């Protein structure tokens, strides 16, 4: 009787583990959306007046899923891991712009003078 009970437990564990091994399929990235936003972002980079409306449109666009956001960040900033959250990918895009805009402001304030 004890053997029957052990066999039942083993079979239950084996069958439970068989069903949970589903492979995740990679989502198809809409390259048209990626290219469109990438071009607009590159054109307006460093200029708050033109960049912020493009970025806001990107942020609120329901067609820009996590996969598209990561693809844009990878091409606009630097290679971004596929598992990166949409919000984090968008944050990386904005930070690149802010960094360049800040640099331009500092450069203007210095008016070509050396910091030394």
């Amino acid at each position: 009787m004890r053997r029957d009970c052990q066999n039942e437990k083993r079979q239950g564990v084996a069958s439970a583990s068989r069903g949970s091994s589903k492979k995740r399929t990679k989502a198809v990235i809409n390259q048209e959306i990626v290219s469109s936003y990438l071009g607009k972002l590159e054109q307006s980079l460093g200029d708050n007046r033109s960049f912020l409306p493009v970025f806001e449109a990107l942020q609120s666009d329901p067609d820009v899923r996590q996969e598209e956001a990561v693809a844009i960040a990878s091409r606009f900033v630097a290679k971004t891991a596929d598992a990166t959250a949409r919000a984090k990918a968008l944050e990386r895009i904005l930070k690149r712009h802010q960094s360049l805009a800040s640099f331009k402001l500092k450069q203007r304030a210095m008016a070509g003078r050396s910091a030394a």
Side-chain angles (χ1 to χ4, degrees):
M1 171 115 174
R2 185 173 175 176
R3 275 194 167 166
D4 291 336
C5 191
Q6 287 176 340
N7 284 338
E8 286 177 20
K9 285 182 183 178
R10 285 185 190 147
Q11 288 174 353
V13 171
S15 65
S17 64
R18 270 189 248 133
S20 64
S21 63
K22 294 180 183 176
K23 290 185 178 181
R24 295 182 85 183
T25 57
K26 234 181 180 180
V28 177
I29 297 172
N30 187 330
Q31 293 298 331
E32 188 176 311
I33 289 174
V34 173
S35 295
S36 174
Y37 275 111
L38 193 59
K40 292 174 187 176
L41 291 168
E42 288 288 352
Q43 266 185 331
S44 60
L45 184 61
D47 178 22
N48 278 334
R49 283 188 192 158
S50 58
F51 185 88
L52 294 178
V54 172
F55 181 76
E56 288 171 8
L58 170 66
Q59 198 171 23
S60 63
D61 189 339
D63 293 331
V64 178
R65 299 167 302 143
Q66 181 265 345
E67 295 83 7
E68 284 82 15
V70 168
I72 294 167
S74 288
R75 291 175 56 190
F76 186 70
V77 183
K79 179 66 179 142
T80 305
D82 291 342
T84 303
R86 182 182 189 274
K88 193 72 169 173
L90 293 175
E91 182 181 313
R92 293 188 75 194
I93 293 166
L94 183 59
K95 281 186 178 181
R96 177 177 179 208
H97 163 73
Q98 289 171 335
S99 178
L100 182 61
S102 173
F103 174 76
K104 284 183 175 181
L105 284 174
K106 288 177 187 174
Q107 197 173 30
R108 274 191 235 129
M110 295 291 293
R113 298 182 304 248
S114 171

